[in-house]
Amino acid sequence: MNTFTVDNLLLINSKQIYLNLNGVDTVAEVYVNNHLVGRTKNMFVKYRFDIKSRLKVGDNRLSVKIFSPIVYAKNEAKQFAFAYNYTIPPNSNPDDYNGENHVNFLRKMQASFAWDWGPAFPSLGIWKSVNLEVIRSVPIMRDFTAVTFQNSNKWIIKATLDIGMPDPDNYRAYLRVDLADEKLYEDYIEVGGSFNVKLRLENVKINFTPNLWWPNGLIRTASGQSSNATLYNLTVTWKPQGCEDDNDCSSLSKKVGFRNIDLIQERLSNALSFRVEVNGHSTFVRGTNIIPISVFPEVSPENYIRHLLKSVKRANMNMVRVWGGGIYMSDLFYDLADEMGIMIWQDFMFACALYPATKSFLENVQVEITQQVERLQHHPSMAIWAGNNENEAAFAQKWWPEIRIYSKIYKNDYLNLYFNTIAPIMNSSNPHATYLSSSPSNGLITILEGGISTNPGDFRFGDVHYYDYYKDVWNWTNYPSAKFVSEYGIQSYPSIGTLRTALPADKLTWPLSDQLRHRQHHPRGDNEIKMLIQQHMNLTQQRNPQKQFAKYVYLSQILQAVAIKSQTEFYIRNRFLDKTTGHGLTYGAMYWQLNDVWQAPTWSSIEYGGKWKMLHYYMIKVFQPANAFAWIDDKLLNIALINDYLNPVSIHVTVSMQRYADLLPITILDKNFKEASKGVSIIYIDSLDEVLSKGGCLSIDHCMIKLQINHMIDGKPETGKQFDSFTLLSSPKNIIGLLDPAIRIEKVKLIKSTPSRKFQIDLKSDHLAMFVWVDTDSSIPIKAIFSDNGFMMVDKRKSIYMETLSNITTQELAKVLKVTHLLDEM
Ligand code: BMA
């Protein structure tokens, strides 16, 4: 409840007074001075209620009565079943979720009733701003939406102004559109006919050639140089005749960009491509999936969003999928994505469920989609829109037994929602945008098959979500040779430091304490992590329960990092089409998942609070656009050169055999590629036996392969663009020859103190050390990012850099730094 004051003048001078509620979670009744002025039932919708007649001079009372989402959802499900004689699954979540049910009856963040990576916090409240909108004697411009597109070489802007009218009479106004400093349009226009006018400018021509907007990692820039994601200010000026002040005559600006992003699905004998083209250039999508910033939707700190997106950019990604079980992100999120050149794959907020396609549900969805498309479409980062997460797959694979019985009805409901409600809105607002009905889907083939494919995960078409924890997750031959893999992942535990922010040290134990088990929502999750670790590493309990748990955390992060590295490298290099099966020609790899909403074992590469797991450090190298990968295929060592830059790049690649027992690498290939050819090219094939003998390795258990990749500028390695990459030939548990490296920190020195502190950490080692993890003591919560981590130490000395916002001193840091490596933990 809240009180606000209204004066006499305001009431006399205004023709309309609206109450704008920009976000209410979710089902509520809104009262002004005890009169019901409206109801809300969709947290993704902005509501505007006409309240003038309810206002009085002096104090006015606004109260919002919010209903329990749990009770509401349950009742809706019950009433639905009663009215229609069937239910809308899932009728219950897996027990491990510790969650609530029937969230699919609510237009609310679907994950707020629990997910396999998150707790049930069925939030309720006013999660966005509330304001009064006063319309006096002239029409006002509330907002505008715009899209840019190219028409036979000319760039065009299509804009729609949302005009609030005093009454439906006709009014005259001056309207002007500017792009940066160029005037594009100016006129006097007439508006009228209703209380709310959508004023359309269909064809605003750009009278100069704008610089294009490019995503991250396509155009090679010298290190330190910012992105090529060029943005322009688009300003709309509105001066209705008789306007007096800023309330009535206004100017609004948005940043726009000029780019064509197309999804190319062209025929390839028995398959279809699924390839993103940016400004006419094929672009391998390097990316990840983001879940909500917080389980509490109103919590969305600017520095945290910045940190997440910067981390995405630092890991050389060009796309993030805003997953359909969360929320449409804040404006800031999309603004930053525009700035940093991160393309967005935007799901609409439907996930892992069927939905009740009743008339009122669809009407509710229609408002949501219209508003969200209008809000988001001007962002140049908006690349792909998708109807839902996995609902086509859920239907096709009959996730719930009801589907067998009511399949006709469910199919109809499905088509009504994603094809007859959402698709037409996409089409009319922005016919140039790509809309897929679901992720995963078979793209055009899904449409040909009537909206739901029999196998939406077909490797020949569309995108695929791939999870199989019962195969060797480090072995590339188990990964799908699909066109685009929009989800794949492996769970790991967050660091002890992060877990300590939720649980006391004595609960961080192995065997897992009840408190830890409570946080594992993925059914059989820990069995899988344990089993997968044991395939390659040694997990036997040798230590006290807390130390053993710390070992489990560390090994789980290695498990995840190596699995996703080897899987992602496979997708990136798998650019050849197998004409017999139609498999291959992969053009996208987006791992599941970027972030976390609590301290728990999940698939994330960034822990709750922002700390990077080992995986995130690995992805920096894996996603480098100019790169080299090594793998064994049928007893042959293959090395591929990758170059996904559009402009020329020269790369120096060294391949060596690295024995575990000593620090001397034996080089088997050392080559400079002056102008690396585009795409993927095989630069080396030799029999593994041959390579082992060349490298002085007795067996695959004695050596690993080391690649050193340097981007070159003027014949010299480019700063910040020199990195290594290791390919194991056998499991760490079988490795022969590792000696105690006695790895230690020799020196810590501060090399920069503003805006953040940067330390150089000099490490020294007597022998080779694997998966070296440098971290601050878990009891000292310092947020830091290292220049490299989880690395193989194959030299006696190595310096890494640590950046932190904390004002820790060099001496303090030296005391709390800890180094972990594999031999110590096996
Ligand atoms: C996919 C996602 C999420 C889920 C993840 C891990 O199905 O779309 O629903 O969290 O797998 O199981």
Side-chain angles (χ1 to χ4, degrees):
M1 213 234 324
N2 217 329
T3 309
F4 58 97
T5 319
V6 170
D7 64 27
N8 197 17
L9 265 180
L10 184 84
L11 281 186
I12 297 173
N13 289 343
S14 61
K15 290 208 176 159
Q16 308 290 332
I17 300 181
Y18 295 102
L19 173 68
N20 288 332
L21 292 147
N22 294 316
V24 179
D25 177 14
T26 290
V27 183
E29 287 171 355
V30 182
Y31 295 86
V32 170
N33 297 327
N34 297 328
H35 295 284
L36 179 68
V37 294
R39 297 173 204 273
T40 70
K41 54 174 180 172
N42 189 329
M43 79 177 276
F44 309 121
V45 160
K46 290 195 280 189
Y47 287 89
R48 171 178 304 119
F49 301 127
D50 176 358
I51 58 164
K52 177 150 191 209
S53 61
R54 299 301 182 198
L55 293 177
K56 56 180 201 245
V57 174
D59 283 351
N60 288 265
R61 268 174 45 160
L62 166 65
S63 39
V64 181
K65 184 172 167 191
I66 304 175
F67 297 90
S68 156
I70 303 169
V71 174
Y72 186 89
K74 204 182 277 170
N75 286 342
E76 286 285 294
K78 215 198 245 162
Q79 280 170 22
F80 184 96
F82 185 73
Y84 299 98
N85 254 324
Y86 68 100
T87 60
I88 305 287
N91 288 310
S92 65
N93 274 323
D95 289 347
D96 306 71
Y97 280 30
N98 308 316
E100 301 296 338
N101 299 321
H102 304 298
V103 72
N104 50 345
F105 280 87
L106 271 178
R107 290 314 297 143
K108 164 177 182 55
M109 173 164 112
Q110 301 289 284
S112 79
F113 277 28
W115 213 262
D116 59 2
W117 41 258
F121 279 121
S123 52
L124 49 88
I126 299 170
W127 71 292
K128 289 198 173 180
S129 62
V130 177
N131 64 286
L132 282 184
E133 182 183 296
V134 179
I135 303 184
R136 291 182 290 203
S137 50
V138 295
I140 59 161
M141 169 172 66
R142 294 183 172 123
D143 197 1
F144 73 88
T145 172
V147 283
T148 62
F149 60 95
Q150 209 175 13
N151 201 346
S152 55
N153 281 335
K154 281 260 171 304
W155 284 97
I156 309 249
I157 295 178
K158 193 175 114 179
T160 305
L161 279 61
D162 178 5
I163 307 291
M165 304 284 292
D167 50 54
D169 285 353
N170 277 358
Y171 289 85
R172 203 172 143 80
Y174 167 81
L175 174 62
R176 171 175 163 157
V177 180
D178 292 87
L179 185 69
D181 297 330
E182 296 284 328
K183 181 165 70 187
L184 301 184
Y185 173 96
E186 170 177 54
D187 208 352
Y188 286 90
I189 47 125
E190 293 257 319
V191 281
S194 77
F195 283 100
N196 295 295
V197 171
K198 295 270 174 182
L199 187 68
R200 290 181 212 287
L201 294 174
E202 294 290 346
N203 201 4
V204 180
K205 292 199 181 67
I206 316 276
N207 42 19
F208 61 101
T209 311
N211 287 330
L212 295 177
W213 183 92
W214 290 98
N216 183 34
L218 241 58
I219 314 275
R220 182 168 172 265
T221 47
S223 63
Q225 198 177 317
S226 61
S227 70
N228 295 286
T230 314
L231 298 172
Y232 290 88
N233 260 335
L234 178 68
T235 307
V236 178
T237 304
W238 175 255
K239 286 187 188 157
Q241 213 165 43
C243 79
E244 282 163 12
D245 59 19
D246 291 353
N247 182 60
D248 294 343
C249 20
S250 58
S251 206
L252 295 174
S253 285
K254 284 188 180 166
K255 289 212 161 113
V256 297
F258 297 89
R259 91 287 181 270
N260 286 306
I261 302 179
D262 301 298
L263 182 65
I264 309 296
Q265 300 186 65
E266 69 197 354
R267 218 191 150 110
L268 317 155
S269 59
N270 55 352
L272 283 184
S273 69
F274 196 84
R275 179 168 47 86
V276 171
E277 266 188 19
V278 183
N279 301 324
H281 295 277
S282 294
T283 302
F284 190 95
V285 169
R286 293 166 161 81
T288 184
N289 291 266
I290 192 166
I291 61 167
I293 302 296
S294 164
V295 74
F296 304 109
E298 73 281 14
V299 177
S300 165
E302 171 161 358
N303 55 2
Y304 194 58
I305 299 175
R306 238 176 234 283
H307 170 69
L308 290 177
L309 284 173
K310 265 194 184 164
S311 302
V312 163
K313 187 168 178 186
R314 276 177 78 158
N316 293 304
M317 297 188 226
N318 56 24
M319 189 183 275
V320 167
R321 171 167 171 250
V322 179
W323 166 80
I327 59 173
Y328 305 95
M329 296 286 183
S330 63
D331 290 341
L332 175 79
F333 174 87
Y334 299 96
D335 286 344
L336 291 176
D338 288 348
E339 253 170 52
M340 297 189 200
I342 310 295
M343 293 186 280
I344 300 295
W345 171 316
Q346 179 70 49
D347 282 0
F348 290 108
M349 294 302 140
F350 303 89
C352 300
L354 303 186
Y355 287 85
T358 57
K359 189 166 171 277
S360 79
F361 188 86
L362 293 179
E363 280 168 2
N364 189 2
V365 168
Q366 198 162 16
V367 179
E368 167 189 332
I369 306 299
T370 308
Q371 287 191 5
Q372 293 297 338
V373 172
E374 283 179 358
R375 179 172 77 95
L376 300 178
Q377 64 182 353
H378 72 277
H379 292 280
S381 55
M382 295 302 291
I384 293 175
W385 307 69
N388 64 67
N389 173 70
E390 297 184 350
N391 300 352
E392 183 183 340
F395 179 90
Q397 295 159 3
K398 306 188 176 52
W399 285 7
W400 307 284
E402 298 89 313
I403 295 179
R404 289 177 199 279
I405 311 168
Y406 304 107
S407 93
K408 256 204 178 136
I409 301 179
Y410 291 144
K411 182 167 181 184
N412 219 16
D413 286 352
Y414 184 94
L415 298 181
N416 272 335
L417 180 51
Y418 307 108
F419 285 87
N420 304 333
T421 304
I422 300 183
I425 300 172
M426 281 304 306
N427 251 329
S428 68
S429 317
N430 189 357
H432 301 275
T434 297
Y435 169 70
L436 299 162
S437 50
S438 183
S439 175
S441 84
N442 287 341
L444 289 175
I445 299 297
T446 285
I447 296 174
L448 279 181
E449 283 190 59
I452 299 188
S453 281
T454 27
N455 170 21
D458 197 319
F459 298 169
R460 293 171 300 167
F461 316 110
D463 64 324
V464 158
H465 294 185
Y466 175 78
Y467 299 92
D468 189 341
Y469 312 109
Y470 295 89
K471 287 190 183 138
D472 178 358
V473 294
W474 285 11
N475 181 345
W476 67 268
T477 61
N478 291 326
Y479 309 136
S481 181
K483 296 289 162 290
F484 192 111
V485 191
S486 44
E487 276 190 27
Y488 57 100
I490 293 286
Q491 277 202 334
S492 71
Y493 267 79
S495 63
I496 303 284
T498 293
L499 285 167
R500 279 285 298 275
T501 62
L503 294 173
D506 65 350
K507 300 296 177 214
L508 302 180
T509 52
W510 175 281
L512 298 177
S513 64
D514 287 348
Q515 287 77 357
L516 281 170
R517 278 176 199 281
H518 174 79
R519 286 172 179 258
Q520 174 58 279
H521 279 197
H522 174 49
R524 297 177 302 284
D526 277 286
N527 288 343
E528 290 164 359
I529 298 177
K530 209 166 82 184
M531 178 189 77
L532 292 169
I533 287 178
Q534 280 170 331
Q535 281 181 7
H536 294 291
M537 291 172 282
N538 205 337
L539 190 59
T540 36
Q541 173 122 23
Q542 310 137 317
R543 308 184 168 194
N544 77 42
Q546 284 182 32
K547 287 208 171 127
Q548 180 67 17
F549 177 69
K551 166 175 166 174
Y552 182 55
V553 169
Y554 169 70
L555 296 185
S556 77
Q557 291 207 13
I558 296 178
L559 163 74
Q560 181 195 35
V562 176
I564 302 307
K565 171 186 194 293
S566 99
Q567 195 164 351
T568 310
E569 289 184 355
F570 166 70
Y571 297 140
I572 294 175
R573 67 176 194 250
N574 191 39
R575 235 169 279 180
F576 308 97
L577 178 73
D578 179 333
K579 292 220 168 93
T580 347
T581 58
H583 296 176
L585 203 74
T586 308
Y587 257 98
M590 305 180 77
Y591 69 86
W592 182 264
Q593 69 200 60
L594 176 70
N595 56 324
D596 267 340
V597 296
W598 71 334
Q599 309 89 332
T602 75
W603 295 257
S604 74
S605 66
I606 299 182
E607 302 175 0
Y608 176 76
K611 179 171 178 159
W612 289 8
K613 288 181 177 172
M614 198 182 292
L615 172 60
H616 209 84
Y617 290 100
Y618 274 50
M619 295 321 281
I620 295 182
K621 300 180 183 180
V622 171
F623 276 149
Q624 280 284 353
N627 216 332
F629 300 145
W631 71 102
I632 306 297
D633 186 4
D634 208 12
K635 299 256 174 203
L636 294 176
L637 169 65
N638 290 251
I639 313 279
L641 185 73
I642 318 294
N643 176 18
D644 284 330
Y645 282 122
L646 296 180
N647 45 348
V649 53
S650 95
I651 312 177
H652 186 107
V653 181
T654 319
V655 182
S656 30
M657 300 304 286
Q658 182 72 57
R659 280 184 300 232
Y660 295 118
D662 61 54
L663 289 169
L664 289 177
I666 296 188
T667 302
I668 55 172
L669 179 79
D670 184 340
K671 220 171 160 178
N672 206 10
F673 298 86
K674 270 213 148 145
E675 195 161 311
S677 41
K678 297 257 153 59
V680 178
S681 38
I682 304 286
I683 54 169
Y684 185 89
I685 298 191
D686 202 352
S687 94
L688 181 58
D689 289 341
E690 192 64 27
V691 182
L692 287 172
S693 91
K694 273 188 207 160
C697 311
L698 291 175
S699 76
I700 52 168
D701 298 330
H702 289 79
C703 286
M704 58 182 167
I705 312 256
K706 180 192 175 192
L707 298 179
Q708 177 64 42
I709 300 129
N710 296 340
H711 296 186
M712 307 294 284
I713 278 192
D714 302 329
K716 289 197 202 87
E718 187 185 343
T719 337
K721 294 280 182 184
Q722 303 160 48
F723 53 99
D724 56 16
S725 158
F726 291 85
T727 301
L728 300 179
L729 299 171
S730 74
S731 297
K733 67 177 179 188
N734 298 329
I735 280 172
I736 300 171
L738 276 186
L739 295 164
D740 178 8
I743 190 167
R744 56 217 175 258
I745 294 168
E746 269 209 323
K747 197 166 181 192
V748 179
K749 64 175 182 233
L750 181 70
I751 56 171
K752 195 180 91 166
S753 45
T754 48
S756 56
R757 294 186 150 228
K758 190 170 180 181
F759 294 94
Q760 180 176 327
I761 302 166
D762 297 337
L763 295 161
K764 185 147 192 264
S765 184
D766 295 342
H767 300 287
L768 186 146
M770 298 180 76
F771 301 105
V772 178
W773 183 251
V774 183
D775 203 353
T776 52
D777 189 299
S778 59
S779 56
I780 319 276
I782 300 176
K783 283 191 187 147
I785 290 182
F786 295 87
S787 55
D788 196 1
N789 220 342
F791 48 85
M792 305 292 186
M793 179 105 178
V794 293
D795 292 299
K796 276 209 152 75
R797 291 172 196 283
K798 181 176 168 101
S799 298
I800 58 167
Y801 300 89
M802 180 189 125
E803 279 196 76
T804 180
L805 287 172
S806 129
N807 50 15
I808 190 164
T809 65
T810 314
Q811 289 75 9
E812 284 164 347
L813 179 62
K815 259 191 239 151
V816 296
L817 276 176
K818 294 265 166 307
V819 187
T820 312
H821 64 93
L822 189 68
L823 194 65
D824 252 6
E825 302 292 328
M826 288 272 282

